[in-house]
Amino acid sequence: MAHERVLRFLCQGCWLIGILHVPDEPLTRGVLIVTGGPQYRIGSHRQFVLLARHLAAHHVPVMRFDYRGMGDSEGDMRDFESIQDDLEAAIGEFFATMSGMQEVVLWGLCDGATAAAFHAWSDPRITGLVLANPWVRTEQGEARTTLRHYYLRRVRDPEFWRKLARGRFGLIPALRSLRQLAVAASQPATQVEALPERLFQALQRYRGRILIILSGADLGAREFMALPLQHAHWRALLGARRVQQAVIEDANHTFARQTWRDEVADLCTRWIRAW
């Protein structure tokens, strides 16, 4: 059994709103859910509510919240690059409210996962990271992923050729788009501050445990999956004993079906309670 309560706490002069899920017999390890934007604490198809309740039913205390400019919280809207103060405030409130809690896991989706990783190395209380479809978007990476996992699938689909034969497919615009993607994919990665490299540096500095959950049918997840295939330093990082990965085949970006959500919740529960 668990009960839920509303939290109201300050971040840089703005009031933030959160929901705390408190089990009757809570573990000393809690989970703070970091939403991907623009999104608020409930999540797509109530994903974060359902995940929090599942974890709380297994004795894991959970907090989910709206950072500044989202949902019921005050302030101007901000992106994942600008929520470090919000995370610090939420973690502080979580520990203050759950007096018996000794450590916390940050659970993030998409750019929320990347924001969580950017923050985790700086706080020793954060002993675990769950990164669901972490955001590593670059123009080059997006182009390569689209070519490999969208266009290649299309040309293998018999329906594509039937539409083309019947004149129901815009061949010229498609070829123009294909050419643009090919040019983008062939460009060298010259950005020193490219997002994948920044995420690598953050995870390298972080010494805690990491669980990475990837959706098999999500192009963003596919872009992340390409990193260890292309870069030795990513292979070394993801091959470390402290890192565990799971791929949910056919799942979309937000794990929209109940069976996918249940698999994510079960994975997280077993991982959090295993160490």
Side-chain angles (χ1 to χ4, degrees), residues 147-158 160 219:
L147 285 171
R148 183 178 298 118
H149 297 288
Y150 176 75
Y151 277 95
L152 187 59
R153 187 177 70 247
R154 289 294 302 275
V155 299
R156 290 174 175 173
D157 184 357
F160 165 81
L219 288 180

Side-chain angles (χ1 to χ4, degrees), residues 141-252:
E142 181 182 22
R144 287 179 173 178
T145 303
T146 304
L147 285 171
R148 183 178 298 118
H149 297 288
Y150 176 75
Y151 277 95
L152 187 59
R153 187 177 70 247
R154 289 294 302 275
V155 299
R156 290 174 175 173
D157 184 357
E159 183 61 25
F160 165 81
W161 296 104
R162 285 193 289 268
K163 288 182 178 180
L164 185 63
R166 294 194 295 264
R168 296 175 56 190
F169 184 81
L171 182 59
I172 300 302
L175 289 174
R176 188 181 300 118
S177 174
L178 186 61
R179 181 179 180 278
Q180 291 172 346
L181 285 171
V183 170
S186 66
Q187 297 301 310
T190 57
Q191 292 176 288
V192 176
E193 293 144 7
L195 195 53
E197 186 61 24
R198 292 173 57 206
L199 179 59
F200 171 81
Q201 293 295 337
L203 294 177
Q204 185 80 345
R205 297 179 74 177
Y206 175 65
R207 306 315 305 164
R209 296 173 185 258
I210 303 169
L211 172 62
I212 300 170
I213 304 175
L214 301 169
S215 297
D218 177 51
L219 288 180
R222 290 287 183 178
E223 194 170 346
F224 181 88
M225 291 179 198
L227 293 175
L229 302 177
Q230 298 166 355
H231 305 290
H233 61 293
W234 270 103
R235 285 196 296 276
L237 173 67
L238 298 179
R241 293 183 61 184
R242 67 190 180 96
V243 180
Q244 181 178 330
Q245 293 186 76
V247 178
I248 300 181
E249 298 296 340
D250 302 322
N252 65 0

Side-chain angles (χ1 to χ4, degrees), residues 16-53:
L16 307 189
I17 300 298
I19 302 294
L20 185 67
H21 299 253
V22 185
D24 285 347
E25 299 179 357
L27 300 178
T28 58
R29 179 179 298 137
V31 171
L32 178 71
I33 294 177
V34 185
T35 66
Q39 196 174 111
Y40 75 127
R41 64 183 184 272
I42 291 178
S44 301
H45 44 77
R46 304 180 74 242
Q47 177 185 19
F48 302 141
V49 175
L50 298 173
L51 173 64
R53 289 175 177 171

